[in-house]
Amino acid sequence: MKVSGINSTHPDNSSAQCKFNEDFKFILLPVSYALVFVIGLALNATALYVIVFRTKRWKPSTIYMFNLSMCDTLYILTLPFLIFYYADENDWPFSEPLCKLIRFLFYANLYGSILFLCCISLHRFIGICYPVRSLNWVTARRARLVSLAVWACVLLCQAPVLYFSRTRDVNTERICYDTTSPELFDDFLVYSSVVSVLMFALPFMVVMVCYGLMVRKLLESGGGSESGAEGETGGLTSQRSKQKSVKMIIIVLAAFMLCFLPFHLTRSLYYSFRYLKQVNPKQISCSLLEASSVAYKVTRPLASANSCVDPILYFLAGQDARSNLTKKSKLPSPKATSVNRCLTSRL
């Protein structure tokens, strides 16, 4: 017989002896993860299909979007395990290595998405603010090298999750910790804080600076157009570039503000209160600790929802994504194709 979450000692905070009511998460998390699984899998599968089978020429932005979609898809495929785990009220029926793998893939997706969105933002920033130089700076080969570097960074920085994540039998249930066991929490807090600064705060600052400069450039007369471009084709290309840049700014900022920022803020508050509660139990009340824990768990589905937002970025702001999805046999004239490729290769 399962132990109810009502008035039970919180499994992640047993040393503080605070009793939390967490029954809400047994509905919230399975339902939200199921929605992310269905919607995210459909969107990312479509994006990967368009990129792999319908896109003949991979631009740097295409390479970044392919890696972003792969990152999201790997995480989405782990969601059925979490759906079963939370629907069964924190009773992990699988092995500890699988628990470690699933927690690892969650954070790998989270920070991989952040870094690839940062790469996409930097790429578009260079194309808009330095259009001539970008022809030499931004190439498909360099985009591949940057993508490899991002994957290496993510795998290296998230490898400690494989150590910290573990299972433990509590009463009649087996817990798969989303943080770590209580005795390792102090070390995990240091690790998590460093990762949050390096892989969220810094990329977020870079994105904000890039977008501020891009907006200023786009507001200027002729901003975002290629130097020396003339004629109607060049004007249309410049206008389309501006429109895609504006869409990208809106979508990426929405991803950061709705998915990443609330998750990191609430998680930081919860971890901080939990640490202070362990150091000085009288300094932090159990009600405050519980409120921070609830806020953190409510924002976890938002962090997962970035797997649904990322493909939208490709279809709304990607290079010819919608036309690649629906194109049949109609091809542009050779002359127009040549001009367009010269003017849009940096985007």
Side-chain angles (χ1 to χ4, degrees):
M1 181 177 180
K2 291 186 179 300
V3 177
S4 172
I6 299 177
N7 294 327
S8 63
T9 301
H10 188 264
D12 285 343
N13 196 41
S14 57
S15 62
Q17 294 300 311
C18 284
K19 297 180 179 181
F20 292 176
N21 182 344
E22 292 195 320
D23 283 354
F24 74 94
K25 77 176 184 181
F26 302 137
I27 298 176
L28 172 67
L29 296 182
V31 171
S32 58
Y33 286 160
L35 290 174
V36 170
F37 176 76
V38 173
I39 299 173
L41 186 61
L43 290 176
N44 281 281
T46 304
L48 287 173
Y49 169 77
V50 173
I51 293 172
V52 175
F53 297 105
R54 305 301 291 271
T55 304
K56 294 183 178 179
R57 182 170 175 267
W58 284 32
K59 299 176 176 65
S61 58
T62 310
I63 294 171
Y64 292 133
M65 283 305 310
F66 171 77
N67 283 277
L68 184 60
S69 295
M70 284 298 298
C71 188
D72 290 337
T73 302
L74 288 174
Y75 167 67
I76 288 172
L77 294 177
T78 69
L79 287 178
F81 297 96
L82 291 177
I83 293 170
F84 184 88
Y85 172 58
Y86 290 114
D88 201 31
E89 300 186 3
N90 275 12
D91 192 3
W92 183 256
F94 310 107
S95 64
E96 184 174 76
L98 187 57
C99 170
K100 292 176 178 288
L101 178 62
I102 287 177
R103 298 305 186 188
F104 168 80
L105 287 175
F106 170 79
Y107 289 107
N109 162 260
L110 179 70
Y111 293 111
S113 296
I114 289 173
L115 292 182
F116 279 118
L117 287 174
C118 186
C119 290
I120 293 170
S121 302
L122 282 170
H123 168 71
R124 187 55 62 93
F125 163 74
I126 294 173
I128 293 298
C129 295
Y130 303 95
V132 178
R133 295 179 182 179
S134 69
L135 296 176
N136 294 323
W137 289 356
V138 181
T139 63
R141 180 177 179 273
R142 290 184 178 179
R144 293 188 185 97
L145 293 176
V146 171
S147 297
L148 286 175
V150 168
W151 278 110
C153 179
V154 169
L155 295 178
L156 180 64
C157 291
Q158 298 309 312
V161 173
L162 296 173
Y163 166 74
F164 285 115
S165 296
R166 48 191 67 195
T167 61
R168 173 170 293 179
D169 293 332
V170 178
N171 297 321
T172 60
E173 302 168 344
R174 173 169 292 180
I175 303 298
C176 173
Y177 289 109
D178 69 292
T179 53
T180 189
S181 55
E183 61 271 14
L184 294 176
F185 178 73
D186 290 355
D187 294 332
F188 179 81
L189 178 60
V190 174
Y191 160 73
S192 178
S193 299
V194 172
V195 169
S196 295
V197 171
L198 295 180
M199 304 188 75
F200 169 69
L202 290 181
F204 185 38
M205 292 174 60
V206 170
V207 167
M208 294 300 292
V209 170
C210 288
Y211 285 171
L213 296 174
M214 284 173 61
V215 169
R216 187 177 68 177
K217 183 70 174 180
L218 291 170
L219 290 176
E220 293 176 358
S221 177
S225 63
E226 180 70 44
S227 179
E230 296 177 357
E232 183 179 355
T233 303
L236 289 174
T237 302
S238 173
Q239 185 63 28
R240 289 173 182 172
S241 173
K242 289 182 182 180
Q243 292 175 353
K244 284 186 288 188
S245 296
V246 171
K247 290 178 182 178
M248 189 196 72
I249 291 173
I250 294 173
I251 296 170
V252 174
L253 285 180
F256 271 91
M257 295 298 183
L258 298 178
C259 300
F260 303 134
L261 186 60
F263 172 80
H264 282 86
L265 286 178
T266 56
R267 187 181 67 167
S268 297
L269 284 175
Y270 168 59
Y271 287 177
S272 299
F273 290 158
R274 180 176 163 184
Y275 173 75
L276 293 174
K277 185 68 174 177
Q278 292 178 174
V279 174
N280 186 357
K282 295 182 179 180
Q283 187 175 0
I284 301 295
S285 65
C286 283
S287 59
L288 182 59
L289 183 61
E290 181 179 8
S292 64
S293 176
V294 170
Y296 164 56
K297 288 175 173 60
V298 167
T299 58
R300 275 166 59 184
L302 295 179
S304 297
N306 83 88
S307 299
C308 300
V309 176
D310 293 337
I312 296 175
L313 172 66
Y314 175 67
F315 289 114
L316 291 185
Q319 180 65 36
D320 300 326
R322 284 170 292 179
S323 62
N324 284 338
L325 182 61
T326 58
K327 71 180 179 180
K328 295 183 179 179
S329 60
K330 185 177 179 181
L331 297 174
S333 66
K335 183 176 180 181
T337 300
S338 177
V339 172
N340 267 333
R341 285 182 177 177
C342 291
L343 292 172
T344 63
S345 60
R346 68 181 184 278
L347 301 175

